C-alpha cells in the first residue's frame, strides 16, 4: 500500500472503501460464503460476477474454491475471484488449478475538504440519470439492460453528471455517497471529445456535489494501465493509491 500523505488514512479505510464501492455498484445476487461475497448479475461486468473478499476471517482452502466454482457453474458462468493486494492467500491454489490473471486495477483516494472547488459550471448534475446520460453510456460500455437495473437498485444518495459538446451529451459519470465518501463510477467520454477536459469537469462536478453534501474524501477505481484516465484523476487530487486488485479466471474462460 502506497500513500501520498494528503490526509489521514485509518487502518480500516480499505474495507470502508471496498464496501462503498460494492454499494455503489450492487449485484443482482449476493451470497456470503466463508468470508467471501459471491456476486452475480449476469453479463460481462467482472465486479458483479466474481467472488469478493470480506473483512475478517476468510477461508482460502480448496473446499472454499470448490464452493465458489459450484456457485458460478450453477449459473453457467466461469468462476472468477477478485483479489486485492492484501487478500491473496489463495493465489497458490488458484495457480495450481490453472486460473489466469487479468486486469490490474488501482483504488485511488482524494481529499475533498482541502481541494478547491472544480470549474464545472457547464456540467449538469441530477439525482437520476437522464435518457441522454444512459444513451452515451449504452454506446460506450457493455450490458446496458443490466446496468440500468443496477443503477435503479442503488439505495444511497447518488448523482449523475454530464457535460455536452457539439450539441449532445459527450461525457458522463455518476457518484454515490457512502461512509462519508464519494465513490466515482462509470466515467466515460465520447471518443470524438476526449482530451478536451470534459472528463475532468464531469468528475469535478461530482466532487463539488459530494463536498456540498458533507463528504470529506472521494475514491475511484481505474485500470492500472489507463494512463489518460490516471492523468485526469491525478489532476483532480487522486494522489493516494490505497490498494490494487486483479481478477483470477478459471482456465475455461473464453
Amino acid at each position: 500500500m502506497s500513500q501520498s500523505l494528503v490526509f489521514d488514512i485509518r487502518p480500516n479505510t480499505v474495507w470502508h472503501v471496498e464496501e462503498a464501492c460494492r454499494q455503489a455498484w450492487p449485484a443482482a445476487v449476493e451470497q456470503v460464503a466463508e468470508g467471501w461475497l459471491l456476486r452475480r448479475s449476469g453479463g460481462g461486468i467482472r465486479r458483479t460476477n466474481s467472488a469478493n473478499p470480506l473483512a475478517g476471517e476468510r477461508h482460502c482452502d480448496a473446499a472454499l474454491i470448490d464452493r465458489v466454482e459450484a456457485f458460478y457453474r450453477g449459473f453457467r458462468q466461469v468462476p472468477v475471484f477478485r483479489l486485492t493486494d492484501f487478500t491473496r492467500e489463495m493465489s497458490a491454489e488458484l495457480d495450481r488449478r490453472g486460473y489466469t490473471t487479468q486486469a490490474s486495477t488501482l483504488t485511488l483516494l482524494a481529499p475533498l475538504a482541502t481541494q478547491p472547488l472544480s470549474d464545472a459550471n457547464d456540467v449538469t448534475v441530477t439525482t437520476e440519470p437522464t435518457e441522454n446520460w444512459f444513451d452515451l453510456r449504452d454506446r460506450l460500455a457493455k450490458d446496458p439492460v443490466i446496468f440500468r437495473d443496477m443503477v435503479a437498485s442503488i439505495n444511497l444518495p447518488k448523482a449523475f453528471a454530464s457535460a455536452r459538446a457539439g450539441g449532445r451529451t459527450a461525457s458522463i459519470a455518476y457518484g454515490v455517497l457512502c461512509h462519508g465518501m464519494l465513490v466515482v463510477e462509470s466515467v466515460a467520454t465520447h471518443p470524438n471529445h476526449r482530451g478536451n477536459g470534459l472528463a475532468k469537469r464531469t468528475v469535478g462536478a461530482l466532487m463539488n456535489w459530494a463536498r456540498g453534501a458533507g463528504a470529506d474524501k472521494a475514491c475511484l477505481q481505474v485500470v492500472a494501465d489507463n494512463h489518460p484516465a490516471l492523468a485526469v484523476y491525478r489532476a483532480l487530487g487522486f494522489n493516494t493509491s490505497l490498494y490494487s486488485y486483479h481478477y483470477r479466471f478459471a482456465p475455461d474462460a473464453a
Side-chain angles (χ1 to χ4, degrees):
M1 183 187 306
S2 61
Q3 298 178 17
S4 299
L5 297 180
V6 292
F7 58 90
D8 188 30
I9 295 179
R10 296 168 296 171
N12 61 349
T13 298
V14 291
W15 291 114
H16 280 173
V17 171
E18 277 285 279
E19 181 185 354
C21 290
R22 286 196 302 269
Q23 295 286 344
W25 198 304
V29 175
E30 294 189 336
Q31 177 179 311
V32 176
E34 307 292 353
W36 292 81
L37 187 64
L38 313 187
R39 312 184 79 207
R40 190 264 172 186
S41 292
I45 300 172
R46 290 172 295 206
R47 68 169 76 186
T48 53
N49 290 283
S50 56
N52 288 245
L54 295 173
E57 182 178 352
R58 290 178 300 281
H59 286 208
C60 298
D61 53 14
L64 180 278
I65 298 175
D66 290 342
R67 180 174 176 181
V68 172
E69 290 180 344
F71 174 85
Y72 288 106
R73 300 289 186 204
F75 291 105
R76 299 182 181 274
Q77 291 184 220
V78 173
V80 180
F81 286 83
R82 178 180 166 277
L83 302 183
T84 69
D85 53 14
F86 52 91
T87 60
R88 296 184 179 180
E89 304 93 337
M90 64 171 57
S91 294
E93 178 61 20
L94 295 177
D95 289 342
R96 190 188 68 79
R97 297 187 184 210
Y99 275 65
T100 59
T101 301
Q102 297 183 25
S104 178
T105 299
L106 303 176
T107 302
L108 306 180
L109 263 65
L112 293 179
T114 59
Q115 285 285 108
L117 290 174
S118 294
D119 179 12
N121 292 331
D122 59 340
V123 178
T124 300
V125 178
T126 58
T127 57
E128 295 293 337
T130 64
E131 277 305 310
N132 287 335
W133 193 101
F134 272 134
D135 286 346
L136 180 59
R137 197 274 170 189
D138 292 349
R139 291 200 299 270
L140 300 181
K142 62 182 69 173
D143 300 328
V145 174
I146 293 172
F147 180 82
R148 288 178 182 234
D149 288 343
M150 180 280 295
V151 167
S153 73
I154 298 172
N155 292 318
L156 292 169
K158 55 188 182 291
F160 298 81
S162 60
R164 295 176 63 84
R168 64 179 59 187
T169 299
S171 185
I172 59 170
Y174 79 86
V176 176
L177 296 182
C178 184
H179 293 313
M181 75 180 82
L182 167 70
V183 183
V184 178
E185 295 282 4
S186 290
V187 182
T189 302
H190 192 283
N192 293 344
H193 299 287
R194 290 173 184 165
N196 296 324
L198 289 179
K200 182 180 178 182
R201 296 202 299 277
T202 301
V203 175
L206 290 176
M207 296 172 75
N208 292 349
W209 166 78
R211 182 174 173 178
D216 62 0
K217 53 184 168 289
C219 68
L220 56 79
Q221 296 177 322
V222 55
V223 176
D225 61 1
N226 188 345
H227 301 295
L230 284 168
V232 170
Y233 300 145
R234 299 297 188 195
L236 285 165
F238 288 90
N239 294 312
T240 296
S241 182
L242 188 60
Y243 62 93
S244 65
Y245 66 86
H246 61 262
Y247 294 95
R248 302 297 305 269
F249 284 76
D252 55 331

